[in-house]
Amino acid sequence: NAEYMGTFGMFACCGKNSVKVANPLPKDIASQNEMLSEQLESFDKTIPWKDSHVDDGTTLSWFLPDMSPVILAKGTTIINASADAISSFVRPKDKATLTSTLKKIYGDFTKNSDTIVTDQDIIHIWFHLTYGVSWIQDREFIFSHRLYIAPSGTQFVILTPLDKWDKHPPRNDLVRGEFAHTSGYIIRPIADQQCEVTFLTSMDIKGWIPLWLANRISRTNGKVITQVRKYFESLESA
């Protein structure tokens, strides 16, 4: 009942420019997840990120590809927890905790959510995001969380867009946004109970908001990872 987008954007960086390449996904889930994790790793390591600065313990940066109108945002921080604990938190598997977890990550802008587990590696999520001001119409997003653990021990929680999901047809009162490019978390263990965590996102909020304004708002979307770190800090101080 859910259909994946058949290709995902990947960038091969050449100097200051980048070229968008469409990559058809393999049919089997394991190969898909490995390919998507390689895309995330490539984004993190090869893109010439701009305006790198530290904000509340998180290094933030962004990049606007030449061949894409949607900005990529990045946030990196250190979290004192195991990779398993972090990936389990950002990828909740039960509906009872999904909305509360999303609110911890995205704040009270998260209004509603739903999930369905389709297999061991993929969780479909719909969530309703309000920007809290009357002149911006509420958004909804439909995407999947995939988990891939590399041989190195690095864990990838990959956010992939869905073309459609019969359980949540489009609504007139919501604008349906999407992730323009492969997004997600890269969780790299660096010590016992400590990881370097990077969040990469390319959230296209769609609608009538001018793209330049949407991209300006999105430059700091990497700060999502700060909320994840603060959640684990709250467990330490409890």
Side-chain angles (χ1 to χ4, degrees):
N1 292 328
E3 297 185 13
Y4 293 101
M5 297 179 70
T7 59
F8 296 87
M10 185 174 181
F11 296 88
C13 290
C14 305
K16 67 177 182 178
N17 298 317
S18 63
V19 179
K20 185 178 180 182
V21 182
N23 296 283
L25 284 174
K27 290 185 178 180
D28 66 289
I29 298 299
S31 297
Q32 288 180 14
N33 292 347
E34 183 176 6
M35 177 179 173
L36 293 169
S37 69
E38 289 173 355
Q39 288 187 7
L40 276 182
E41 190 86 56
S42 176
F43 287 171
D44 184 27
K45 297 298 186 183
T46 66
I47 282 177
W49 297 97
K50 297 182 178 181
D51 192 28
S52 181
H53 65 283
V54 177
D55 184 316
D56 196 10
T58 296
T59 301
L60 301 175
S61 51
W62 60 272
F63 178 70
L64 182 60
D66 292 343
M67 301 293 289
S68 171
V70 181
I71 206 165
L72 283 157
K74 173 181 172 180
T76 300
T77 194
I78 302 298
I79 297 179
N80 293 325
S82 69
D84 287 343
I86 297 167
S87 63
S88 295
F89 173 70
V90 300
R91 186 177 176 269
K93 292 184 179 181
D94 61 284
K95 184 176 177 180
T97 61
L98 178 64
T99 299
S100 63
T101 297
L102 290 175
K103 284 187 175 182
K104 289 184 179 75
I105 296 174
Y106 297 103
D108 290 335
F109 295 132
T110 304
K111 196 168 183 179
N112 205 348
S113 64
D114 196 5
T115 184
I116 181 171
V117 178
T118 57
D119 62 35
Q120 185 177 0
D121 294 319
I122 298 177
I123 300 173
H124 298 333
I125 289 178
W126 169 91
F127 85 104
H128 174 181
L129 186 68
T130 174
Y131 282 85
V133 290
S134 59
W135 59 273
I136 298 182
Q137 191 173 359
D138 289 358
R139 264 51 179 175
E140 64 173 348
F141 293 85
I142 301 179
F143 57 94
S144 295
H145 278 186
R146 298 161 174 256
L147 176 64
Y148 175 73
I149 302 176
S152 64
T154 298
Q155 297 195 19
F156 297 83
V157 177
I158 309 160
L159 311 183
T160 56
L162 295 172
D163 273 340
K164 62 182 181 179
W165 187 6
D166 292 343
K167 189 171 182 179
H168 289 290
R171 290 168 46 175
N172 292 332
D173 61 326
L174 298 174
V175 174
R176 179 162 293 181
E178 65 180 30
F179 290 100
H181 315 294
T182 306
S183 302
Y185 300 84
I186 304 174
I187 307 167
R188 300 183 177 97
I190 55 176
D192 185 36
Q193 296 295 308
Q194 188 176 72
C195 296
E196 178 191 78
V197 186
T198 295
F199 179 63
L200 301 168
T201 181
S202 58
M203 187 177 282
D204 185 353
I205 62 176
K206 300 290 187 180
W208 59 265
I209 296 177
L211 191 58
W212 67 266
L213 177 58
N215 277 338
R216 191 168 187 84
I217 294 170
S218 299
R219 284 187 183 185
T220 58
N221 279 351
K223 292 178 71 172
V224 162
I225 201 62
T226 303
Q227 303 309 313
V228 177
R229 187 192 74 235
K230 289 184 176 181
Y231 166 75
F232 283 98
E233 289 174 347
S234 71
L235 297 182
E236 291 182 74
S237 60

